[in-house]
Amino acid sequence: MLQTIDTPYGTVEADPDTLELGEILVSDDGTELEVVSLDPLRLEPAPEEDEDWGE
Amino acid sequence: MIVVKVGGSTGIDYDALCEDVAALWREGQRLVLVHGGSAETNRVAEALGHPPKFVTSPSGYTSRFTDRETLEIFEMVYCGKQNKGLVERLQRLGVNAVGLSGLDGRLFEGKHKDKVRSVEGGKVKVLRGDHTGTVERVNTGLLTLLLESGYLPVLTPPGVSFEGVAINVDGDRAAAAVAVALQAEALLLLSNVPGLLRDFPDEASLIPEIPAGEVESYLGFARDRMKKKVLGAAEAVQGGVKRVVFGDARVRQPVRAALSGRGTVVR
């Protein structure tokens, strides 16, 4: 069920039961947040990553 | 000077490639050969119980996720079987080829990226523990030393990070970096398709020519691995390489065919 999750970087609407480690969510203020822990749920700003990678 | 990149997909005729390369070399054409080995790496990785994992970036690029074990399997195939297989073929044809990876003498140097963004099941995720990077510096001194001494360099990923860690770099873009560094007159990107196709896999839809300034606008026609080739072509022409050809490595004399304009020519 969708819940409102408050973070220091804005709020996120998400279903904690379907979240996965590493998943990126976008807060209402536009910050990209990475799921770094599921239990307890912890969201931190996602690392910036360009897509210029190897084969 | 020409730089020839041959892919690692199934169907490529390495004997025909080496015969063509050796004949051109004997005629005095100086060249550098860069190769891949993706299909064989996938097969060996499966056989070793560590199947390849591919990830797709949010903008649609598909790449291998290279954890440490994958990197070691990658090295076995690219630096071992594929590289030495080509060197042996060329030696048998009388060409003094020297096979090197991007690690050797810091030939391909770049930044290590340990995390990638991947689209999985509609979600964008950060994956950590990747060993990839992009070539930012080519050791032209070493290449020139070899070429001036009469050796034909046969080069392959991986590259090396600025910290000295092996990184999986894209072979097409590494070849483009080599072509720019050597200011090659042509970069030939040979694979198991006849060139860039407007309507993949319909080979009749080959795009014969692309103006140099418009390469990136053709990205939309490129599927999967071809995207990196188009990107590499754009980087090469921006870097001063006069001509890039997407050619077919399944035919006899594939290098001469590409040089004569068979395939997709970017200039």
Side-chain angles (χ1 to χ4, degrees):
Chain A
M1 197 198 303
L2 277 184
Q3 291 181 18
T4 301
I5 303 163
D6 289 316
T7 80
Y9 316 98
T11 59
V12 173
E13 293 284 327
D15 179 352
D17 293 335
T18 64
L19 287 177
E20 293 174 30
L21 269 183
E23 187 176 345
I24 294 178
L25 307 170
V26 182
S27 74
D28 61 347
D29 70 2
T31 306
E32 288 189 323
L33 299 171
E34 178 189 352
V35 179
V36 295
S37 164
L38 288 171
D39 189 17
L41 180 62
R42 211 169 80 238
L43 303 172
E44 289 186 359
E48 283 187 21
E49 170 66 9
D50 57 20
E51 288 153 7
D52 190 8
W53 53 10
E55 186 267 344
Chain B
M1 173 66 59
I2 61 172
V3 176
V4 180
K5 159 69 180 23
V6 62
S9 303
T10 50
I12 289 172
D13 189 341
Y14 292 106
D15 289 325
L17 172 88
C18 288
E19 281 166 22
D20 203 15
V21 164
L24 283 162
W25 183 262
R26 282 194 295 267
E27 288 167 20
Q29 173 66 60
R30 295 303 88 176
L31 58 87
V32 173
L33 184 60
V34 183
H35 69 85
S38 54
E40 185 64 7
T41 300
N42 295 348
R43 194 189 68 74
V44 172
E46 290 273 2
L48 291 174
H50 193 75
K53 177 176 182 177
F54 290 94
V55 294
T56 302
S57 74
S59 62
Y61 291 96
T62 300
S63 295
R64 185 189 304 275
F65 183 77
T66 312
D67 60 13
R68 187 69 206 182
E69 195 173 347
T70 299
L71 181 75
E72 288 168 4
I73 297 167
F74 181 94
E75 288 175 335
M76 286 180 213
V77 177
Y78 276 66
C79 311
K81 184 174 180 181
Q82 299 293 103
N83 189 268
K84 298 316 154 201
L86 286 167
V87 169
E88 184 191 7
R89 282 180 176 90
L90 289 165
Q91 290 290 353
R92 210 182 300 142
L93 293 162
V95 176
N96 207 353
V98 172
L100 295 169
S101 80
L103 273 165
D104 299 295
R106 292 188 166 269
L107 265 175
F108 302 155
E109 208 173 9
K111 193 172 157 193
H112 176 193
K113 293 168 184 173
D114 72 341
K115 48 193 175 297
V116 294
R117 289 192 179 200
S118 168
V119 180
E120 294 176 12
K123 295 178 173 182
V124 178
K125 293 175 72 175
V126 176
L127 301 180
R128 292 165 189 270
D130 197 25
H131 284 72
T132 63
T134 305
V135 179
E136 294 176 30
R137 210 152 57 194
V138 173
N139 186 345
T140 44
L142 177 53
L143 288 179
T144 306
L145 188 72
L146 289 169
L147 288 161
E148 286 180 351
S149 302
Y151 297 102
L152 191 162
V154 179
L155 312 180
T156 187
V160 62
S161 76
F162 296 119
E163 296 79 26
V165 176
I167 49 173
N168 182 4
V169 296
D170 181 72
D172 293 307
R173 298 181 69 190
V178 169
V180 170
L182 295 176
Q183 283 297 287
E185 65 209 56
L187 166 66
L188 313 180
L189 299 172
L190 308 179
S191 65
N192 64 347
V193 288
L196 183 60
L197 306 176
R198 196 171 285 277
D199 182 21
F200 182 86
D202 177 9
E203 297 194 1
S205 68
L206 176 77
I207 298 168
E209 190 150 338
I210 298 174
E214 297 173 20
V215 193
E216 286 184 65
S217 64
Y218 282 76
L219 261 174
F221 296 117
R223 293 270 191 96
D224 301 329
R225 296 280 314 128
M226 190 52 93
K227 288 190 180 190
K228 292 284 175 66
K229 294 183 196 299
V230 174
L231 218 52
E235 288 163 357
V237 294
Q238 280 159 17
V241 176
K242 293 179 190 69
R243 187 164 50 125
V244 180
V245 184
F246 303 120
D248 199 334
R250 301 168 301 179
V251 301
R252 305 301 299 176
Q253 299 191 322
V255 179
R256 281 178 210 271
L259 282 173
S260 72
R262 188 168 158 189
T264 300
V265 183
V266 182
R267 66 177 144 212

